[in-house]
Amino acid sequence: MTLETLSSGVDTIWVVLTAAMILLMEGGFALLEAGFVRQKNAVSIIMKVFVDISFGALLFYVVGFALMYGKDAGGWIGISGFAMKGDLSHLSLNISTDTFWLFQCAFVIAVISIVSGAVAERIHFRAYIVYTIVMTGLIYPISGHWIWSSGGWLAKLGMVDFAGSAAIHALGGFAALAAALFLGPRIGRFTDDGRVNIVPPSNLPLASVGAFILWFGWFGFNSGSTLSATNPNIGHIAVTTMLASAAGSAACILFTILRYQKADPPTVINGALAGLVGITAGCAFVSDGAAILIGAFSGIAMVLATEWLERRRVDDPVGAFAVHGICGSIGTLAVGLFAVPSLSANAGLFYGGGWKLLGVQALGLAVVAVWGFALTWGALKLINAWRPVRVSRDEELVGLDVGIHGVPAYSQEHDFLDIERLRTEQ
């Protein structure tokens, strides 16, 4: 066995394991969102996560990977690698193309899962399937090509996004905002006289377990993006990831005590996620102190963004835009401020690098945000012309679990059901 073969084998194990950690985050999304929404919509959340994984993986295999990492065409799109066939020799990797695909597939599934929370309790299941196909097969891969493909036009300008604050979280967050606006608020969420009705989470312990699973998976998300088990920066990436998430959670605990006189559990849960989203772009390039600052600022910004959305009567059941859109934006811009010369090829503004990197980061963020919002709005508009994107009033009131999927999440029945008798009675 040669040294090169051994190195490739170790890197392959590393990437497969971290990809599995990222895929486990889907369990985190499922538990988090099911805990945040009302009990009558828990099955609907789980079913959307299964759509994310199954349709997302298939579409990314057939189309998405080629558009994202295929042979570059003018910096805008990839044109080879459909169904993993054709010329992919331009990819300079120490792992197989299959291994690289698996890791990137985990990312695309995470993107669509961001949107699923914003549309919870009111989107029609069939419409969601079609939108998932569009997001995983078209919207994310094309903008991802601009940022992460070696020939992408934003990459050539020097945009830095190590693990996806912009490519994944800002894109998913602004797509989530478009979807929430398109669907409108849940029935009864806002009153005609301007009051905001609070929707109590159905199961906060469940949501907290989901957050801890996401927290765990994020170490695969960030550290795994090295694509190498021997990268000396893995430890630093893990430390900045931990510090930012802890700072986001701590900031929300203190901020909500000062603002509401009580530490608000759902806000604290989202605060940890806000810190994780904020550090994702710069986890390999910023100092420990900067990671704490980014995490704390992201947590507080998430709280303020949530309040702003409520004042604007925008209904986002799990805080998808506040966590991913706002904090993904913060993380993207933070690289332009805090990138350390010894860790990054381009230094940030506070380390003598001038305004260039910050300007490129701002441009890339703006492009991704507009792309995600506009394409999502357009896709939902087209889907709505085929069939209603939003469920009927009766289906929403009874809950999507029974109204759409025909089964409740929690049954009070203790005996077997006589299906034939039930059908006859109906």
Side-chain angles (χ1 to χ4, degrees):
M1 180 181 293
T2 65
L3 186 60
E4 290 77 12
T5 302
L6 180 62
S7 173
S8 177
V10 171
D11 288 348
T12 297
I13 293 171
W14 168 253
V15 173
V16 170
L17 287 177
T18 52
M21 290 173 67
I22 301 170
L23 287 170
L24 181 61
M25 292 171 70
E26 291 306 300
F29 276 116
L31 295 177
L32 177 78
E33 294 175 14
F36 273 170
V37 302
R38 289 170 290 182
Q39 200 173 80
K40 62 184 180 180
N41 293 305
V43 170
S44 172
I45 291 294
I46 304 303
M47 289 300 293
K48 290 208 296 295
V49 171
F50 273 102
V51 169
D52 298 341
I53 296 173
S54 53
F55 285 86
L58 292 172
L59 263 294
F60 194 66
Y61 177 82
V62 175
V63 179
F65 184 80
L67 296 178
M68 191 165 178
Y69 287 107
K71 188 175 181 181
D72 177 68
W76 293 99
I77 199 169
I79 56 173
S80 66
F82 294 95
M84 301 297 288
K85 308 295 184 186
D87 184 14
L88 291 170
S89 60
H90 58 281
L91 295 176
S92 180
L93 301 167
N94 196 41
I95 54 177
S96 68
T97 306
D98 284 345
T99 305
F100 183 62
W101 175 86
L102 180 67
F103 189 81
Q104 296 302 325
C105 176
F107 273 6
V108 73
I109 293 169
V111 174
I112 185 60
S113 295
I114 294 169
V115 182
S116 72
V119 300
E121 303 199 295
R122 60 212 193 276
I123 194 170
H124 201 289
F125 187 63
R126 295 179 185 178
Y128 184 77
I129 292 175
V130 178
Y131 175 72
T132 298
I133 291 171
V134 176
M135 171 58 91
T136 58
L138 180 69
I139 299 175
Y140 167 73
I142 292 178
S143 59
H145 181 86
W146 303 340
I147 299 170
W148 279 339
S149 172
S150 58
W153 68 274
L154 286 173
K156 288 181 177 178
L157 288 176
M159 186 177 180
V160 176
D161 189 6
F162 186 75
S165 284
I168 295 174
H169 297 287
L171 176 76
F174 279 91
L177 177 63
L181 288 170
F182 187 90
L183 285 167
R186 289 167 288 178
I187 297 171
R189 181 70 169 92
F190 305 106
T191 64
D192 294 335
D193 59 3
R195 288 185 296 109
V196 178
N197 288 324
I198 303 299
V199 181
S202 63
N203 194 324
L204 272 178
L206 200 70
S208 66
V209 172
F212 290 134
I213 292 174
L214 288 169
W215 202 331
F216 169 79
W218 228 287
F219 289 100
F221 210 97
N222 288 356
S223 298
S225 293
T226 59
L227 301 180
S228 172
T230 58
N231 189 307
N233 213 21
I234 288 175
H236 177 69
I237 293 169
V239 168
T240 56
T241 300
M242 185 66 215
L243 291 175
S245 53
S249 180
C252 284
I253 291 173
L254 298 176
F255 190 67
T256 54
I257 288 176
L258 293 173
R259 198 169 183 83
Y260 312 133
Q261 285 71 56
K262 293 180 181 179
D264 182 62
T267 302
V268 173
I269 289 172
N270 273 347
L273 302 181
L276 289 164
V277 171
I279 197 59
T280 298
C283 56
F285 309 123
V286 303
S287 68
D288 295 353
I292 294 173
L293 184 62
I294 292 168
F297 187 77
S298 295
I300 295 172
M302 179 274 300
V303 178
L304 298 176
T306 301
E307 293 178 353
W308 179 80
L309 285 179
E310 288 185 346
R311 290 195 299 271
R312 303 295 298 177
R313 302 173 70 85
V314 178
D315 188 11
D316 184 351
V318 303
F321 174 69
V323 172
H324 299 277
I326 295 298
C327 300
S329 300
I330 291 170
T332 304
L333 297 175
V335 175
L337 298 173
F338 297 108
V340 179
S342 60
L343 299 173
S344 174
N346 299 305
L349 178 64
F350 296 155
Y351 288 86
W355 293 92
K356 181 180 178 181
L357 180 58
L358 182 60
V360 171
Q361 296 295 105
L363 172 64
L365 173 63
V367 168
V368 167
V370 171
W371 174 260
F373 187 98
L375 267 290
T376 295
W377 189 277
L380 293 176
K381 194 79 173 175
L382 290 174
I383 296 169
N384 201 53
W386 166 58
R387 68 177 308 123
V389 171
R390 182 161 179 158
V391 297
S392 69
R393 178 181 177 84
D394 289 344
E395 288 169 333
E396 183 173 345
L397 290 175
V398 75
L400 304 193
D401 292 0
V402 173
I404 297 295
H405 300 289
V407 59
Y410 308 96
S411 175
Q412 301 300 315
E413 295 287 342
H414 301 291
D415 298 315
F416 293 107
L417 299 178
D418 186 339
I419 300 299
E420 292 300 325
R421 179 178 64 79
L422 292 175
R423 286 175 178 169
T424 302
E425 291 177 354
Q426 289 177 352

